[in-house]
Amino acid sequence: MRELLILGAGTAGTMVANRLRRRLSPAEWRIRVVDSELRHFYQPGFLFLPFGIYRPNQVVRPKRRLIAAGVEVWEAAAERIDPEHRRVHLATGQELPYDILILATGTQPRPDQVEGMLGDDWGHRVFEFYTYEGAVRLAERLRNWAGGRLVVHISEMPIKCPVAPLEFAFLADWWLRRRGLRDRVELIYVTPLSGAFTKPVASRVLTDLLDHKRIQVVTDFAVARVDNERHALIGWDGREVPYDLLVTVPPNLGAAVIELSGLGDEMNYVPTDRHTLQAQGHSNIFVLGDATDLPTSKAGSVAHFEAEVLTENILAQIRGNPFPARFDGHANCFVETGFGKAILLDFNYRLEPVPGRFPLPWLGPMTLLGESRLNHWGKLAFEWVYWHWLLPGRSIPFVRAELSMAGKVIPAGVWTPETASSMSKR
Amino acid sequence: MPEKIIAGQTVTVDEEGYLQNPAQWNRDIAQEIASEMGIQLTDAHWKVIEFLRRDYQERGAVPGMRRLNKVAGIAIKDLYTLFPDGPIKKAARIAGCPKPTSCV
Ligand SMILES: Cc1cc2nc3c(=O)[nH]c(=O)nc-3n(C[C@H](O)[C@H](O)[C@H](O)COP(=O)(O)OP(=O)(O)OC[C@H]3O[C@@H](n4cnc5c(N)ncnc54)[C@H](O)[C@@H]3O)c2cc1C
């Protein structure tokens, strides 16, 4: 019996376990997944919890039920990976051997990484919505909030779903208006980036929206600490941003097991071949989802496209064939903009988000890089798609793993052709 | 891309003055860009610049503050003393690396 071992049964680990179970003979291959958390969270729903758009029980399901019969589930934390002996040590003291290892341990918000973030204001004036508990606590706080300075803040890049804090600001504007509170609130968006988003074309569109919604923007802000007495973010350059209510996205770091095993970079992300998804220097270790250091968004949609590519590549490797598939960095993200509208972004390593239609050229029905009601319904429908198509490991009709150029309006100079140097970087 | 003469050398730069080809860089160029910014280069500055260049060549990306801190052992506070306001952007320009872009 040969062993395929998956660490992490979140979005990525669940999808790839279910895909591979269908394709690998149970007589030849055992598939095991290891995860210490028993609940599966629909993380995109965390954005909607604080505003009461989703109820808490909508975003949680027991993990086991989402994983195919025939996959062994180990409820334990992986403590150390030993690539030399092809073994993983668990916190329970047990050891699991592997022939192929898939790392899908994701990324976690780490408020402990910023001085003062977990101080007296934590849970009173300082909140986050990147965990289930955090989003529920924030919902309770917002319910009876009377207004003041609301600061939405990103501590450090990269973070998973890099548009989520912007969406939070847009939804806060909409929610405050509906409650008749908007005139009593100063809404401020604080980012370490030089603009609203990482990619220029989309950044212009999103900056216009922030302007239009009277959301002030503070850019290039690197946070040194949270001052709990003065209730202010303090930047390394000496700038101060006072808050009455701070909604921060703490630094996101890869799992401790990656760091302890010496497999990570300075943020505990695993250096990964951007096309084959192999861990650099380890031919039988693959990396999936938020755990990679790939230069694309950390998002569920990315994990889904990667899982399609990875499944084919693992099957090829087992049969001794060359890798048939190359991951192109494809990401597809809905950006809620409030008032029942959303923007859709579709991009990869070489093409930043541009205007157009999706998934069908000209017909859409969804609009790329423009606000529409249908995009908003698309975002809400994503929840159903997530539970019923993505996690079971099905492909979405009309949406391929590879980015499609059809239906996109590409401004001059925006598409980067693949050059020898851009390929040799990794 | 515009060309510019820095320390007697013709180099290609972008609109914001970042060198487009790290191979066109030398220490005199670094000195001149730094003094344009009002920075007098000391050994502590050179330690940052040399790490930036080496890391950029090896990984194809300008390292961020966390990496400078964790891998090169340089405290973030010191970075702000050496290169006030925006240390990574300033140091990258002096080191002849392209303008740092944050990951998506
Ligand atoms: C607020 C918010 C909004 C988002 N919105 C969107 C969106 O609209 N669209 C979108 O596509 N994506 C969105 N995302 C991102 C998406 O949720 C993640 O990118 C996706 O879940 C990544 O999957 P993953 O499997 O890599 O990581 P996760 O799903 O986080 O899973 C990692 C798993 O590893 C386990 N683990 C960690 N360490 C260990 C260990 N040592 N041993 C065993 N198990 C371990 C964890 O318990 C966890 O179950 C959002 C995220 C957030 C927080």
Side-chain angles (χ1 to χ4, degrees), chain A residues 7 77-82 87-91 257 260-261:
Chain A
L7 301 188
E79 213 165 51
R80 201 167 52 80
I81 300 153
D82 178 358
R87 278 173 180 278
V88 172
H89 299 260
L90 305 184
V257 59
L260 294 174
S261 312

Coordinates of all heavy atoms in Angstrom, one line a residue, chain A residues 7 77-82 87-91 257 260-261:
Chain A
L7 N -1.7 17.4 4.6 CA -1.7 18.1 5.9 C -2.7 19.3 5.7 O -2.4 20.2 4.8 CB -0.3 18.6 6.3 CG 0.7 17.5 6.5 CD1 2.0 18.1 7.1 CD2 0.2 16.4 7.4
A77 N -2.9 17.6 15.2 CA -2.0 18.7 14.6 C -0.7 18.0 14.1 O -0.1 17.2 14.9 CB -1.8 19.8 15.6
A78 N -0.3 18.4 12.9 CA 1.0 18.0 12.5 C 2.0 18.9 13.2 O 1.9 20.1 13.2 CB 1.1 18.1 11.0
E79 N 3.1 18.2 13.7 CA 4.0 19.0 14.5 C 5.4 19.2 13.7 O 6.0 20.3 13.8 CB 4.3 18.3 15.8 CG 4.6 19.3 16.9 CD 4.5 18.6 18.3 OE1 5.1 17.5 18.4 OE2 3.7 19.0 19.1
R80 N 5.8 18.2 13.0 CA 7.1 18.4 12.3 C 7.1 17.4 11.1 O 6.6 16.3 11.1 CB 8.3 18.0 13.2 CG 9.6 18.6 12.7 CD 10.6 18.5 13.8 NE 10.8 17.2 14.3 CZ 11.5 16.2 13.7 NH1 12.1 16.4 12.5 NH2 11.5 15.0 14.2
I81 N 7.6 18.0 10.0 CA 7.7 17.2 8.7 C 9.2 16.8 8.6 O 10.1 17.7 8.8 CB 7.3 18.0 7.5 CG1 5.8 18.5 7.7 CG2 7.4 17.3 6.2 CD1 5.5 19.8 7.0
D82 N 9.4 15.6 8.3 CA 10.8 15.1 8.2 C 10.9 14.5 6.7 O 10.7 13.4 6.5 CB 11.0 14.0 9.2 CG 12.4 13.4 9.1 OD1 13.2 13.8 8.2 OD2 12.7 12.5 9.9
R87 N 8.4 11.3 6.7 CA 7.5 11.0 7.8 C 7.0 12.4 8.3 O 7.6 13.4 8.2 CB 8.2 10.4 8.9 CG 8.4 9.0 8.8 CD 9.3 8.3 9.8 NE 9.2 6.9 9.4 CZ 8.3 6.1 9.7 NH1 7.3 6.5 10.5 NH2 8.3 4.9 9.2
V88 N 5.8 12.3 8.9 CA 5.2 13.5 9.6 C 4.9 13.1 11.0 O 4.3 12.1 11.3 CB 3.9 14.0 8.9 CG1 3.3 15.1 9.7 CG2 4.3 14.5 7.5
H89 N 5.5 13.9 12.0 CA 5.2 13.7 13.4 C 4.0 14.5 13.8 O 3.9 15.7 13.6 CB 6.4 14.1 14.2 CG 7.7 13.4 13.8 ND1 8.1 12.3 14.6 CD2 8.5 13.5 12.8 CE1 9.2 11.9 14.0 NE2 9.5 12.6 12.9
L90 N 3.1 13.8 14.5 CA 1.9 14.5 15.0 C 2.1 14.9 16.5 O 2.9 14.3 17.2 CB 0.7 13.5 14.9 CG 0.4 13.0 13.5 CD1 -0.9 12.1 13.5 CD2 0.3 14.1 12.4
A91 N 1.2 15.8 16.9 CA 1.3 16.3 18.3 C 0.9 15.2 19.2 O 1.3 15.2 20.4 CB 0.4 17.5 18.5
V257 N 4.0 24.6 11.8 CA 4.6 23.3 11.4 C 5.6 23.5 10.2 O 6.6 22.9 10.1 CB 3.6 22.2 11.1 CG1 2.6 22.6 9.9 CG2 4.3 20.9 10.8
L260 N 8.7 25.2 11.8 CA 9.5 24.2 12.6 C 10.2 23.2 11.8 O 11.1 22.6 12.2 CB 8.5 23.6 13.7 CG 8.0 24.5 14.7 CD1 6.9 23.8 15.6 CD2 9.1 25.1 15.6
S261 N 9.6 22.9 10.6 CA 10.3 21.9 9.7 C 11.3 22.5 8.8 O 11.8 21.8 8.0 CB 9.2 21.2 8.9 OG 8.1 20.8 9.7

